[in-house]
Amino acid sequence: MRLLIIEDETRIAEVLRSALSRSGFAVDGVRLCGDARAALSVNPYDAVILDLGLPDGDGLTLLKEMRAHGNAVPVLVLTARDAVEDRVGGLDTGADDYLVKPFAMSEVIARIKALLRRPEGALGATLRSGNIAFDTIGRDVRIGEAVLVLPRRESAILEHLMRRAGRVVPKAVLEDKLYGIDDELGSNAIPVHVHHLRRKLMDRGATVEIHTVRGVGYLLVDGHA
Ligand code: CA
């Protein structure tokens, strides 16, 4: 598990880094929004710890940017006690959890582990939406009790939509996901895969539906909710 700590206070960053390393995480640390953007663009982190007051910008702005770009990595926000009230509202912008400074290290570790266990988190072994269960390690998809065999591109699309269930996944994000698999990705490739996937889900009685958000992307919703 690889974590990114975005924190400008050296002492806090060092304490976090050493405690999380001892807990078995690979930890990268940056102190500027600019460096965080660079790190996030090249490394697939499993979780991010984000301080809100950074020397070159606001952590919440960075978080909004990440979510706008379709980065669904779990984020634990750190915030100063006197800023909690104004900040909590802003956490809808996409934080998964937050901690008020000063905090106990045991609390940080517990929260990070909890984030990684969440279905939408990177570690979620089995994703569930409606009557679909997706074992992300065995790549096994079930609708109710029945196994659904999917080509890997359709499987990758379904996984990504399930990780972000209820939220729109931009088409460009899915293209990024699939580029490594299919080098000859045409502009129509994603819609075609989604079309096939949608039909298979319908034929097998899945209770979730894939909606197209025209000009933006796709959204997995529980049709029976
Ligand atoms: Ca700070």
Side-chain angles (χ1 to χ4, degrees):
M1 291 289 107
R2 186 166 182 180
L3 306 182
L4 177 64
I5 298 172
I6 308 168
E7 166 63 83
D8 60 308
E9 288 169 64
T10 312
R11 189 183 54 82
I12 294 178
E14 273 315 307
V15 170
L16 285 169
R17 181 198 284 270
S18 67
L20 289 162
S21 302
R22 276 199 305 277
S23 294
F25 295 101
V27 183
D28 293 341
V30 294
R31 55 181 300 277
L32 298 174
C33 291
D35 294 341
R37 282 187 195 99
L40 287 163
S41 70
V42 292
N43 299 311
Y45 291 103
D46 297 295
V48 170
I49 296 177
L50 174 65
D51 179 39
L52 294 185
L54 296 164
D56 64 335
D58 182 335
L60 277 186
T61 305
L62 178 66
L63 180 57
K64 274 186 212 160
E65 257 175 54
M66 288 165 62
R67 297 314 192 209
H69 289 126
N71 186 337
V73 64
V75 174
L76 173 64
V77 160
L78 304 179
T79 181
R81 186 170 295 279
D82 57 3
V84 175
E85 289 211 351
D86 358 310
R87 294 307 196 179
V88 171
L91 295 178
D92 304 330
T93 45
D96 296 275
D97 199 358
Y98 74 96
L99 266 181
V100 174
K101 292 178 181 178
F103 45 78
M105 264 326 297
S106 56
E107 188 64 16
V108 176
I109 292 169
R111 299 284 186 101
I112 286 289
K113 287 184 174 169
L115 287 185
L116 293 171
R117 275 195 300 270
R118 284 190 187 174
E120 68 270 31
L123 245 196
T126 301
L127 306 172
R128 291 178 199 282
S129 297
N131 61 349
I132 305 184
F134 191 136
D135 174 350
T136 60
I137 293 165
R139 312 305 298 170
D140 178 48
V141 178
R142 281 168 194 272
I143 298 181
E145 294 300 310
V147 173
L148 173 62
V149 178
L150 291 174
R152 59 184 176 172
R153 282 162 285 192
E154 290 171 35
S155 163
I157 290 172
L158 180 62
E159 177 181 1
H160 214 64
L161 292 176
M162 287 182 76
R163 285 191 185 282
R164 303 264 301 164
R167 289 173 285 178
V168 177
V169 179
K171 180 165 168 270
V173 169
L174 293 175
E175 284 169 352
D176 284 347
K177 273 279 170 191
L178 300 195
Y179 261 120
I181 301 169
D182 184 354
D183 292 329
E184 295 183 8
L185 187 72
S187 62
N188 224 15
I190 299 288
V192 168
H193 291 312
V194 168
H195 172 79
H196 290 311
L197 177 59
R198 187 183 272 146
R199 161 122 327 157
K200 287 172 191 169
L201 294 180
M202 259 175 56
D203 288 350
R204 302 301 184 91
T207 59
V208 300
E209 291 166 4
I210 300 173
H211 292 194
T212 301
V213 182
R214 204 169 289 280
V216 184
Y218 302 94
L219 168 73
L220 188 82
V221 294
D222 192 337
H224 293 188

